Amino acid sequence: MRIDRKRLETSIEELGAIGATPRGGLTRLALSDEDRRGRDWMVARMREAGLRISIDRMGNIFGERAGTEPLPPVMMGSHADSVPTGGKYDGQLGVLCALEAIRSLNDHAVRTRHPVTLVIFTNEEGARFQPAMIASGVMAGKIALEDAYNARDKDGIRLVDELERIGYLGPEPCVARPIRAYLELHIEQGPFLEEEKLSVGVVEGIVAISWSRLTIHGVQDHAGPTPMRIRHDALVAAAEVVTGVRGIARDLGGDVVTTVGNLTVAPNIVNAIPGRVTLSIDMRDPRTETLDRARERLDRIVREAYEREGVRYELEHYWQVPYTPFAPEVIAAVERAATTVGARWRRIRSGAGHDAQYMAAIGPTGMIFVPSHDGRSHCEEEFTSIEDIEDGANTLFLAALELAGRA
Ligand SMILES: [Zn+2]
């Protein structure tokens, strides 16, 4: 039994047309009008497939295909929102491959012991409302519903008001319920599968993440009359930190990645010595202990920069998530499915967060990666070939079938 590649290709094109950008990408921000149209399209397809639809208080959409026994469901899905000028594979592909897997169960009139449920999570990207993965976070009991409701976009609009406006403020409680398993297919968003000419990655877990915030206070002064010897330049200290943060990854080696992605300079004008700089530090590694060492190094780098430039600083390590391992039985089911499909696969770890991270706190969870061309994502150039998608979708289909148990 296999999925219908042509039908899957058509649905990628149809859903991808909602919020399409002129250069082949996608802008479908969470709870926007485009998101509503995308959701409506999905719900219509789910009804056609005979699924029982329910929507929870975070706007997560569920479509259940009944099982033959009163057992917890095998859940599969992803998110359907995108970043601005993002691609049409991130998120949407996981939702559409799950739909295709269910359609294929219907084609072959297969009955399963466990129900099989498609899920579409609200606001995974965090591009419009922070934090990212907010709705699976509420579901896993890690984020309070009230806090999620009060998340505001850059125009001050509340998440709950947008949920209501687009008609997806559902009645069902957004809480953890028993699941047989959760499976999510997603693009890799990195270069490894393509470099090794593989079509499927069997994801073993999601890396540990550590976020820090640094504020450097120098002395703001005139760029002309102030001689170099009496300057306390916050940006010069920040530049040392930026280089130092990259050095952490070089020195620790292995898989650790370190990034300064956000920098705010005040007053940020041509003729003043910068008085204040804030910057973000993102560090990731599969081993939680490595990040403890990375944070110690960061402390030292900042202290040295501060001594050299004579500035003051505040360094806050404000957010950390440990490594999220996936369930061995789900990983094994995905490996068997990938082998049966004839996919070229290997085990891999995810460097990005996904809804699966929170779902792993609820029940046995696993993910399937398909390659990203040039490793690129969150851009209009995002691309995965239909051949690789077919291998991934078939892997999802067979793994879900095994976990749901043929009746
Ligand atoms: Zn995604």
Side-chain angles (χ1 to χ4, degrees):
M1 284 192 298
R2 294 293 184 267
I3 58 106
D4 182 336
R5 164 171 152 175
K6 189 74 221 144
R7 181 174 56 196
L8 176 56
E9 209 171 1
T10 305
S11 58
I12 292 167
E13 274 159 26
E14 286 183 19
L15 182 54
I18 302 172
T21 61
R23 296 169 59 200
L26 191 69
T27 298
R28 201 160 62 220
L29 294 182
L31 311 184
S32 60
D33 290 340
E34 290 75 26
D35 189 19
R36 176 182 50 75
R37 283 164 50 220
R39 286 163 174 264
D40 291 350
W41 185 92
M42 276 303 298
V43 168
R45 300 293 84 73
M46 285 154 78
R47 285 197 204 286
E48 283 166 14
L51 305 186
R52 189 178 64 83
I53 308 290
S54 61
I55 297 164
D56 74 15
R57 288 182 189 150
M58 277 303 291
N60 297 320
I61 303 170
F62 303 86
E64 187 186 88
R65 183 178 191 269
T68 56
E69 294 174 39
L71 293 168
V74 169
M75 213 176 256
M76 47 180 180
S78 193
H79 61 96
D81 63 320
S82 82
V83 298
T85 53
K88 56 182 184 185
Y89 298 89
D90 185 343
Q92 140 165 339
L93 191 63
V95 164
L96 292 173
C97 287
L99 173 68
E100 179 54 39
I102 289 179
R103 285 168 156 178
S104 302
L105 289 174
N106 290 348
D107 291 346
H108 297 95
V110 174
R111 307 296 309 153
T112 56
R113 294 175 54 233
H114 291 261
V116 175
T117 299
L118 195 168
V119 58
I120 304 167
F121 288 110
T122 297
N123 190 63
E124 189 274 348
E125 292 290 4
R128 183 173 179 199
F129 299 101
Q130 280 82 50
M133 307 179 283
I134 199 168
S136 53
V138 171
M139 197 163 149
K142 309 278 185 187
I143 298 171
L145 182 70
E146 277 310 304
D147 292 346
Y149 276 1
N150 287 319
R152 290 173 191 270
D153 71 5
K154 63 175 170 44
D155 300 318
I157 301 172
R158 287 198 313 159
L159 180 143
V160 64
D161 296 330
E162 283 296 85
L163 263 180
E164 184 153 36
R165 183 185 70 81
I166 68 164
Y168 279 89
L169 181 59
E172 298 288 327
C174 181
V175 291
R177 293 162 206 256
I179 52 169
R180 166 74 184 95
Y182 173 70
L183 282 169
E184 179 167 352
L185 178 144
H186 203 279
I187 55 170
E188 179 197 348
Q189 304 179 277
F192 298 107
L193 295 177
E194 184 179 71
E195 281 172 3
E196 296 166 39
K197 300 192 166 33
L198 303 173
S199 58
V200 164
V202 177
V203 188
E204 345 177 271
I206 299 181
V207 297
I209 306 174
S210 171
W211 281 0
S212 309
R213 185 168 28 227
L214 173 65
T215 307
I216 301 171
H217 305 273
V219 177
Q220 182 179 329
D221 212 333
H222 198 294
T226 314
M228 301 310 284
R229 64 187 162 80
I230 64 166
R231 293 184 182 207
H232 304 284
D233 187 326
L235 186 55
V236 169
E240 286 194 26
V241 172
V242 173
T243 314
V245 165
R246 170 162 275 213
I248 294 173
R250 193 187 50 232
D251 295 346
L252 294 182
D255 296 321
V256 65
V257 288
T258 54
T259 306
V260 173
N262 179 273
L263 192 83
T264 319
V265 182
N268 205 23
I269 56 170
V270 66
N271 56 355
I273 297 162
R276 196 181 67 244
V277 173
T278 55
L279 56 98
S280 66
I281 299 114
D282 175 311
M283 305 195 287
R284 304 177 187 221
D285 190 82
R287 288 148 301 167
T288 311
E289 320 78 68
T290 307
L291 293 188
D292 296 338
R293 284 168 52 215
R295 272 191 302 277
E296 282 165 21
R297 284 189 180 236
L298 177 59
D299 289 340
R300 199 168 66 226
I301 286 160
V302 172
R303 210 167 42 238
E304 286 168 6
Y306 126 89
E307 281 164 4
R308 263 196 295 276
E309 193 60 27
V311 292
R312 288 184 303 111
Y313 69 91
E314 291 127 39
L315 176 60
E316 243 182 304
H317 304 303
Y318 68 97
W319 188 66
Q320 285 150 50
V321 273
Y323 178 67
T324 305
F326 288 149
E329 60 159 335
V330 179
I331 296 171
V334 172
E335 285 181 345
R336 278 190 292 275
T339 302
T340 306
V341 163
R344 302 172 313 283
W345 64 270
R346 77 149 160 106
R347 285 200 182 200
I348 194 167
R349 278 180 298 243
S350 175
H354 296 287
D355 290 308
Q357 197 167 318
Y358 283 125
M359 292 305 289
I362 297 178
T365 292
M367 289 188 80
I368 297 160
F369 274 176
V370 289
S372 294
H373 183 50
D374 287 339
R376 295 190 64 192
S377 68
H378 282 192
C379 58
E380 292 174 306
E381 291 79 10
E382 201 177 272
F383 177 75
T384 305
S385 75
I386 189 64
E387 292 77 19
D388 291 341
I389 292 171
E390 185 180 17
D391 274 3
N394 275 318
T395 301
L396 177 70
F397 172 48
L398 295 186
L401 178 55
E402 181 189 319
L403 291 161
R406 228 177 150 150

